Amino acid sequence: VRQRVGIIDVSSLGKLDVRGASAPALLDKVYTHHFSNLRVGRIRYGVLCSDNGTILDDGTVARLAEDRYFVTTTTGNVDLIEEWFKWWLAGTGTCAHVTNVTSAFAAMNVAGPRARQTLGKLTDIDLSSPAFRYMRSVQGMVAGVPAILLRIGFVGETGWELHVPAESGEYLWEAIMEAGSEFGISPFGLEAQRILRLEKKHVIVGQDTDAVSNPLDTDMDWVVRFDKEDFIGRGGLKAVSERGLRNKLVGFVMGDGLVPHDGDPVVLGRKPVGRVTSARLSPTLGKGFGLAWVPIELAQEGSRIDILVNGKRFEAEVTLRAFYDPEGERLRE
């Protein structure tokens, strides 16, 4: 994925079709970000919160038409989010219709420096950066199959997520593998994806967050738009903002090749003050790295923290930037 091109099956992602004249207002209500002003053909990352501001789920929202959105959710939460949308619609009399289309679509992510050349052999869609920019969506034919193409970058490289009719999933997978063979295409799985996304400092809801995490302390304050008159969780998040953060999710890099375990404590002296949520060995950095919750006073670029691994303390350095391509240049190539 970093050097050539990879493909991963992401069919298990939750997928919701939201349409109707009131669809923009519904999404503005349930997400912390704006979606009524999202232009057709564009994509925006979104976070859903409960009434008190804690994170329920995250995903992408693509606007396919003025009255139609294609929403992705985390794999295990699609039923919950479908119910959540319908709960906030109940009794309003508004024109918005939410359909769970998860099983109707197969999906795959094709990413890497050779992703454009691979897919370019299968479609007449112009995949060049000026024509198909990052965080844009297009509907068209790929290998003769109707597809929704989302240009997103969860793994940190130029790439497209393709959503196609489920019955065509295996055929399209094989067509992409054949098209990418000259570029050294390889399937990759969840463990590789976890390392790739971790190098980009992307949060996995439920892994790096818990039942009390909110977008402000998970370093995603940019998705919270207090200029909106109202959205679910606004009051709780406003209270957190006014109170100030007590803990924050940060990146860390170990001083050597040691890799902490998920759940290892961050300690001050011998006192646990935080915890590691995700940790791996980075092939890019050649060091152990990951994400951890720390007290707000330690959540500064370059701060030193101690992590207790197998009963011994090891020092790590805090970073607030992505470990790989922090400016996102690779995503936009």
Side-chain angles (χ1 to χ4, degrees):
V1 176
R2 292 276 183 254
Q3 299 171 6
R4 301 186 304 275
V5 55
I7 179 171
I8 182 172
D9 182 357
V10 292
S11 300
S12 61
L13 283 174
K15 309 169 197 78
L16 298 174
D17 184 288
V18 184
R19 60 178 79 193
S22 301
L26 170 64
L27 296 183
D28 275 354
K29 178 76 171 178
V30 297
Y31 282 96
T32 62
H33 213 309
H34 292 281
F35 286 97
S36 57
N37 66 0
L38 186 65
R39 297 180 189 174
V40 174
R42 297 200 176 188
I43 307 166
R44 189 167 285 162
Y45 174 74
V47 172
L48 298 120
C49 291
S50 63
D51 298 42
N52 64 1
T54 57
I55 296 173
L56 282 180
D57 198 56
D58 69 341
T60 60
V61 178
R63 193 167 194 171
L64 303 184
E66 288 294 335
D67 61 350
R68 184 188 176 197
Y69 294 82
F70 186 72
V71 175
T72 64
T73 74
T74 55
T75 296
N77 272 350
V78 63
D79 291 335
L80 168 67
I81 301 309
E82 179 189 6
E83 291 176 5
W84 189 248
F85 281 18
K86 291 179 177 179
W87 169 266
W88 291 105
L89 275 176
T92 63
T94 56
C95 178
H97 308 278
V98 180
T99 306
N100 187 338
V101 294
T102 302
S103 61
F105 286 91
M108 54 213 76
N109 190 359
V110 182
R114 299 285 193 170
R116 180 178 286 109
Q117 290 167 284
T118 298
L119 291 176
K121 296 167 70 173
L122 301 172
T123 183
D124 292 332
I125 298 170
D126 187 348
L127 301 177
S128 65
S129 281
F132 201 150
R133 296 172 60 190
Y134 178 59
M135 297 301 277
R136 301 293 196 274
S137 69
V138 168
Q139 298 179 74
M141 304 298 287
V142 180
V145 177
I148 301 171
L149 289 84
L150 310 178
R151 187 174 174 189
I152 55 180
F154 188 64
V155 297
E157 301 290 342
T158 299
W160 285 265
E161 194 171 276
L162 292 86
H163 295 261
V164 300
E167 59 270 22
S168 300
E170 184 177 0
Y171 161 75
L172 184 58
W173 177 282
E174 292 174 351
I176 293 171
M177 287 296 294
E178 182 177 348
S181 60
E182 69 172 290
F183 308 120
I185 193 171
S186 176
F188 65 101
L190 289 176
E191 181 60 22
Q193 186 190 55
R194 283 189 60 145
I195 296 172
L196 292 163
R197 68 91 195 173
L198 194 54
E199 289 184 337
K200 288 298 294 180
K201 202 169 168 281
H202 290 157
V203 171
I204 292 182
V205 173
Q207 171 71 32
D208 302 305
T209 67
D210 58 25
V212 296
S213 304
N214 64 68
L216 304 182
D217 57 20
T218 51
D219 200 24
M220 294 192 293
D221 52 322
W222 54 274
V223 304
V224 179
R225 298 306 171 101
F226 287 121
D227 58 330
K228 284 203 299 182
E229 182 177 349
D230 192 26
F231 59 85
I232 307 306
R234 189 182 192 280
L237 290 171
K238 195 70 174 174
V240 170
S241 176
E242 293 170 354
R243 182 198 69 201
L245 301 181
R246 297 168 182 168
N247 299 282
K248 192 171 184 178
L249 187 68
V250 300
F252 68 86
V253 180
M254 303 302 294
D256 50 34
L258 178 77
V259 181
H261 309 98
D262 295 356
D264 277 349
V266 175
V267 295
L268 198 58
R270 300 295 295 182
K271 179 184 177 183
V273 294
R275 72 183 188 284
V276 172
T277 63
S278 294
R280 293 293 188 274
L281 177 66
S282 168
T284 304
L285 302 174
K287 295 180 179 181
F289 79 120
L291 298 176
W293 286 98
V294 301
I296 192 64
E297 59 270 19
L298 295 177
Q300 307 294 328
E301 186 72 33
S303 291
R304 301 286 174 169
I305 59 173
D306 289 328
I307 299 175
L308 201 62
V309 185
N310 297 327
K312 296 182 180 179
R313 289 198 309 176
F314 295 90
E315 190 176 76
E317 182 177 338
V318 169
T319 181
L320 305 181
R321 291 161 55 84
F323 305 97
Y324 176 79
D325 186 29
E327 302 304 323
E329 295 176 358
R330 302 274 291 191
L331 296 173
R332 294 169 173 81
E333 288 180 351

